[in-house]
Amino acid sequence: MADVDHKIKLEVDQIEVMNTPQPNTISIDGVEITTLSYVFNLYTDAIEKIEKLQVASIVACVWATFATVSIIALAVAR
């Protein structure tokens, strides 16, 4: 079994708490419950993906606008 050093501290070291890896679930009476830190990590990952997709869609719209303007300019020039 892993040798774990358990300590009871009266003051909270915020840096230590923020740098300590948090579990994805906790078990209470055999029931697995998702932790808030896990849900927050899922949320932030989803937000990052949404922001990347928003940027990609803006780039695609700008490109499509330029392509449309170019085609119209070519058609008018003939």
Side-chain angles (χ1 to χ4, degrees):
M1 191 157 130
D3 190 27
V4 179
D5 185 23
H6 296 284
K7 296 178 185 176
I8 297 175
K9 296 182 179 181
L10 299 178
E11 294 181 12
V12 176
D13 182 6
Q14 292 179 353
I15 294 174
E16 181 182 349
V17 171
M18 294 302 292
N19 291 330
T20 302
Q22 301 296 315
N24 291 340
T25 59
I26 57 174
S27 179
I28 299 176
D29 293 332
V31 177
E32 292 288 324
I33 300 172
T34 304
T35 60
L36 184 58
S37 64
Y38 178 68
V39 173
F40 179 76
N41 289 337
L42 288 177
Y43 172 76
T44 55
D45 291 344
I47 293 297
E48 287 176 8
K49 290 177 183 177
I50 289 169
E51 288 172 351
K52 288 179 184 177
L53 289 172
Q54 286 175 335
V55 169
S57 66
I58 290 170
V59 168
C61 289
V62 169
W63 180 85
T65 302
F66 283 134
T68 304
V69 170
S70 299
I71 292 170
I72 291 171
L74 288 173
V76 170
R78 287 186 178 201

